[in-house]
Amino acid sequence: MEIYLDTAKVEEIREMAWIVDGVTTNPTLAAQAGRPFREVLQEICHIVRGPVSAEVVAQDEEGMVKEAQELAKIADNIVIKIPVTVEGLKAVRRLKALGIKTNVTLVFSAPQALLAAKCGADYVSPFVGRIDDHGGDGMAVVAEILRIFENYKFPTKVIVASVRHPGHVVAAATLGAPIATVPYPVLQRLFQHPLTDQGIARFLSDWEKVPR
Ligand code: G3P
């Protein structure tokens, strides 16, 4: 499974570039980066050679296509994030014909993902954490989407997004989701287990007792 970093903070990306396969951003994350976004994207695309998602803010097809074309000029690994609206999916069709890759975002249901795949989206991003927040089952939605894509052999890849804890990553991997995008603190937690720390402490203290 590929792991993307869900952040626009260049220092986090620089630190974790050795392990991550791509990066996803959104307008909220761009605001947190606190710098001109084009400049930030240029830097990110230089650090990470895998796909880097950047979201449009226009709401109409024409505006989205125009914005996407501008963003796509930044680097050849830019993927355009488009919300799953009627206008958004029309834009996805147009961008497909133009050879610009898309990641359909704000996906909360299997039918939305199906329509995105039919329109030629390269990626869809179901927001599992936000689904859970609203009393739903985010991973059940991912399972439905994976099944549908498999049934019809859609080449669209699922990016499990809005990941809140390591359990989401494990569930995504167990279902065979090809990609999970994780915030920096969750990525840190994937490495950790208290028994690993305790084990190291014990081995080091026992090593002191070994005659030398
Ligand atoms: O990439 C967007 C998605 O991961 C948002 O996550 O935590 O704001 O629901 P969150």
Side-chain angles (χ1 to χ4, degrees):
M1 182 175 70
E2 293 191 346
I3 296 183
Y4 292 1
L5 198 54
D6 197 23
T7 185
K9 290 186 182 153
V10 171
E11 59 282 7
E12 293 181 350
I13 295 164
R14 216 182 283 285
E15 181 190 331
M16 302 315 292
W18 65 278
I19 189 99
V20 299
D21 303 290
V23 169
T24 50
T25 67
N26 63 37
T28 305
L29 298 172
Q32 287 166 8
R35 290 173 45 205
F37 195 47
R38 266 193 91 83
E39 190 182 297
V40 169
L41 283 173
Q42 268 162 356
E43 256 184 77
I44 296 174
C45 290
H46 198 69
I47 301 167
V48 173
R49 288 313 303 153
V52 174
S53 287
E55 190 156 344
V56 296
V57 288
Q59 295 301 303
D60 62 301
E61 175 191 350
E62 216 47 57
M64 287 183 197
V65 170
K66 227 171 123 193
E67 221 180 302
Q69 285 175 304
E70 283 309 306
L71 286 168
K73 284 181 196 159
I74 293 175
D76 57 11
N77 51 335
I78 287 277
V79 173
I80 308 299
K81 246 179 162 180
I82 306 262
V84 63
T85 58
V86 171
E87 291 295 297
L89 293 186
K90 287 182 187 168
V92 167
R93 281 226 148 133
R94 296 252 308 270
L95 293 169
K96 180 87 190 162
L98 293 169
I100 294 175
K101 290 202 164 142
T102 55
N103 170 1
V104 172
T105 188
L106 289 166
V107 168
F108 294 96
S109 73
Q112 289 179 320
L114 171 62
L115 293 175
K118 277 180 67 63
C119 291
D122 294 281
Y123 304 91
V124 292
S125 292
F127 277 25
V128 295
R130 293 193 197 181
I131 295 172
D132 292 354
D133 290 346
H134 281 78
D137 182 347
M139 295 315 305
V141 173
V142 170
E144 287 175 342
I145 296 170
L146 289 170
R147 177 76 190 268
I148 290 167
F149 286 7
E150 175 57 30
N151 284 348
Y152 297 99
K153 307 286 178 234
F154 282 120
T156 310
K157 287 187 179 169
V158 174
I159 303 179
V160 176
S162 186
V163 164
R164 300 281 162 74
H165 50 74
H168 276 147
V169 180
V170 173
T174 305
L175 287 173
I179 307 156
T181 187
V182 304
Y184 177 85
V186 175
L187 183 55
Q188 296 300 316
R189 286 171 65 195
L190 293 182
F191 287 94
Q192 296 160 0
H193 195 286
L195 291 178
T196 304
D197 298 338
Q198 282 173 33
I200 290 172
R202 175 143 176 220
F203 284 156
L204 288 179
S205 95
D206 286 346
W207 180 246
E208 290 306 311
K209 298 168 203 155
V210 175
R212 268 168 276 181

